């Protein structure tokens, strides 16, 4: 069975600092991995996804993530945080087979301090 | 395109009442699904559908019912509401998964449900 673990339910950074949100996965088949962002009182928006085409994936709003099979990780980074990045971030993996069922991590709430 | 729309945005129910959460999409997506979001638990799949007339259970289906009579609509029914069903409900849609589920799912704005 597939699963996702997000380390750190709350992360706080200063504006302009590096953002690093951690995600580790468990999968018995080659995974497809996603990062979604949720702004307050809104739905989820796709930031980026890994579909095996390239291990370094660039997404919207300056975010990127690197797929590391040896570490079973898919950490999300952004070189310089902006106040508008404050949101909750979810890592997810699809369960494989002929379905599109997403398995979500528990989320990381990012706070950006001025 | 309106994308994925959900109604109502907010609802208060009493224990034992029933209601239907509506979800519609205008992107001609075959795949639709319902998730619930609870603090500290992420999102969990309730039910999903791979096309009109075809539905299946997800991780937490008890107390919920779905049907898919058209491609566009995928309503979620609470048969007899319980306080444990207080949550935020999200509907999502995507094209049919190919080779293991790499299709992006698009989420609606959510319905906040409070069961007293």
């Amino acid at each position: 069975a597939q699963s996702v673990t997000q380390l750190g339910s709350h992360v706080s950074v200063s504006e302009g600092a590096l953002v690093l949100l951690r995600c580790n996965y468990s999968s018995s088949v080659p995974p497809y991995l996603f990062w979604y962002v949720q702004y307050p009182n809104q739905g989820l928006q796709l930031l980026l996804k890994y579909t095996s085409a390239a291990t370094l994936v660039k997404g919207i709003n300056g975010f990127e993530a690197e797929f590391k099979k040896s570490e079973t990780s898919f950490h999300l980074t952004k070189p310089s945080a902006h106040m508008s990045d404050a949101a909750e971030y979810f890592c997810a993996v699809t369960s494989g087979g002929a379905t599109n069922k997403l398995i979500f991590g528990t989320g990381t709430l990012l706070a950006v301090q001025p | 395109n309106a994308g994925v729309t959900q109604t109502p945005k907010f609802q208060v129910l009493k224990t034992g009442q029933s209601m239907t959460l509506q979800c519609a999409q205008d992107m001609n997506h075959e795949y639709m699904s319902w998730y619930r979001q609870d603090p500290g638990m992420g999102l969990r799949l309730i039910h999903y559908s791979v096309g009109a007339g075809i539905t299946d259970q997800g991780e937490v289906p008890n107390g919920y019912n779905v049907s898919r009579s058209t491609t566009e609509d995928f309503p979620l029914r609470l048969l007899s509401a319980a306080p444990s069903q207080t949550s935020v409900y999200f509907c999502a849609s995507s094209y049919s998964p190919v080779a293991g589920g790499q299709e992006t799912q698009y989420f609606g704005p959510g319905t906040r449900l409070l069961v007293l």
Side-chain angles (χ1 to χ4, degrees), chain A residues 32 34 36 38 41-44 46 49 51 88 90 94 96-102 104-107, chain B residues 31 35 37 40-43 45 48 57 90 94-95 97 99-105 107-109 112:
Chain A
Y32 295 116
F34 303 78
Y36 281 88
Q38 184 181 32
N41 299 314
Q42 295 187 25
L44 277 72
L46 181 72
K49 66 179 181 181
T51 58
E88 190 158 22
F90 292 94
T94 48
T99 71
N100 215 15
K101 293 188 283 187
L102 281 168
F104 282 90
T106 52
Chain B
Y31 187 92
Y35 293 85
Q37 182 181 24
M41 302 187 73
L43 282 80
L45 181 64
Y48 66 98
Q57 296 181 351
F90 289 100
S94 73
Y95 290 111
Q102 59 181 303
E103 297 295 332
T104 298
Q105 292 197 46
F107 285 80
R112 292 181 176 274

Side-chain angles (χ1 to χ4, degrees), chain B residues 2 6-10 12 15-16 21-23 30-32 35-36 38 42 44 54 60 72-73 77 89 99:
Chain B
Q6 293 183 236
T7 56
K9 291 184 178 180
F10 182 71
V12 179
T15 296
L21 280 64
Q22 301 291 345
C23 174
E30 300 90 347
Y31 187 92
M32 296 185 74
Y35 293 85
R36 60 177 289 174
D38 301 292
R44 293 178 292 168
I54 306 170
V60 288
E72 295 78 18
D73 301 296
R77 297 181 184 84
Y89 292 85

